[in-house]
Each structure stands twice: as structure tokens, then as C-alpha cells.
């Protein structure tokens, strides 16, 4: 999996950005305020599919919906991203049929993302869903 940490806060509590700066320096990692929905249409049901990690005080941490992550990574198409998606498939975090269904749910929304060619994106998804 990738070594960067992408974060999305919902909502952004007071002191959030200050804490991020401190955390980034302390852990010496790359933190980015990003989520798959910044790059592709938001998938219906993403919140319900997000996997709980841990609670610290009043903060809950979740893995952002793996299907959203996979589709954003497939669309971007970097070697590391594609390796991440293959790992998600191997680990059983996503399955090809549901991935196809999720893509179908956002395909019409791709009109709002002019840099994305819907047909090319569909072909990329089919590579991961072919049996």
C-alpha cells in the first residue's frame, strides 16, 4: 500500500490543522487533505462502507470506502495505485462485481470531471473486473 496518508475530516474540529502539522512533523510522513471524492464522483453508500479503525477520545478513525479508493486509484493509473488495487482484491477488501457496480453508479457523474474520459475509465475498470 502507499506510504502517504490522505485525510478527510468530517467535520473539521477546532485545532484540526494545527494538530495535522504537529503530527506530520512528529511522524515524518506526508499528510494530504484528500479523499477519492476529490477526484471522481462520490460513490453512494461510501460512508456505510467505510471501515472503522479506532477511536481516540472523541475522534473515530475510518478507512475511506475501499471501492472509492480503488476507483480513484484505477482512474489515476499510477503503478503504485494499480498495485494497491490488486492488493485490495487479493485481500478481499473489494470484489470485482461490486467494483463494476460502483463504477456504473458514478459513470453519469463523470460529466462533471472533464479531464476523465468515461470510456477509457470503463476500460481500466474492466481490467480489474475481468475473470
Amino acid at each position: 500500500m502507499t506510504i502517504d496518508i490522505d485525510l478527510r475530516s468530517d467535520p473539521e474540529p477546532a485545532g484540526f490543522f494545527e494538530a495535522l502539522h504537529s503530527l506530520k512533523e512528529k511522524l515524518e510522513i506526508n499528510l494530504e487533505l484528500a479523499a477519492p471524492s476529490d477526484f471522481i464522483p462520490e460513490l453512494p453508500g461510501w460512508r456505510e462502507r467505510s471501515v472503522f479503525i479506532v477511536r481516540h477520545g472523541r475522534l473515530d478513525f475510518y478507512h475511506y470506502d475501499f471501492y472509492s479508493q480503488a476507483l480513484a486509484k484505477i482512474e489515476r493509473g499510477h503503478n503504485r495505485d494499480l498495485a494497491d488495487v490488486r492488493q485490495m482484491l487479493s485481500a478481499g477488501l473489494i470484489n470485482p462485481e461490486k467494483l463494476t457496480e460502483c463504477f456504473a453508479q458514478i459513470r453519469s457523474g463523470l460529466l462533471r470531471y472533464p479531464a476523465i474520459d468515461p470510456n477509457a475509465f470503463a476500460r481500466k475498470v474492466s481490467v480489474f473486473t475481468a475473470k
Side-chain angles (χ1 to χ4, degrees):
M1 297 283 173
T2 58
I3 56 175
D4 298 342
I5 297 176
D6 294 339
L7 297 170
R8 170 64 45 105
S9 178
D10 184 20
E12 292 173 354
F16 177 70
F17 295 104
E18 294 82 0
L20 287 183
H21 178 73
S22 175
L23 186 62
K24 179 179 178 173
E25 296 301 314
K26 187 178 200 176
L27 298 177
E28 298 179 0
I29 56 173
N30 184 34
L31 295 175
E32 293 187 32
L33 296 176
S37 59
D38 293 333
F39 308 103
I40 61 171
E42 188 173 276
L43 284 172
W46 72 268
R47 286 182 192 273
E48 295 77 17
R49 287 189 305 271
S50 294
V51 178
F52 179 75
I53 301 169
V54 69
R55 172 173 275 183
H56 285 285
R58 298 181 317 170
L59 293 177
D60 291 335
F61 293 85
Y62 290 82
H63 286 286
Y64 200 100
D65 171 38
F66 291 117
Y67 289 96
S68 297
Q69 289 186 50
L71 287 173
K73 287 173 178 286
I74 289 169
E75 198 290 315
R76 188 164 52 185
H78 296 154
N79 288 336
R80 184 186 301 185
D81 291 325
L82 301 178
D84 288 348
V85 177
R86 285 190 288 277
Q87 182 65 32
M88 287 180 197
L89 285 163
S90 294
L93 299 173
I94 59 174
N95 73 62
E97 295 79 19
K98 180 70 175 176
L99 190 63
T100 299
E101 177 186 316
C102 287
F103 176 74
Q105 290 176 321
I106 65 165
R107 186 170 182 149
S108 65
L110 292 172
L111 291 173
R112 294 178 176 252
Y113 298 77
I116 298 175
D117 176 342
N119 293 326
F121 191 3
R123 285 189 297 276
K124 292 176 187 179
V125 171
S126 72
V127 167
F128 285 91
T129 59
K131 293 185 178 185

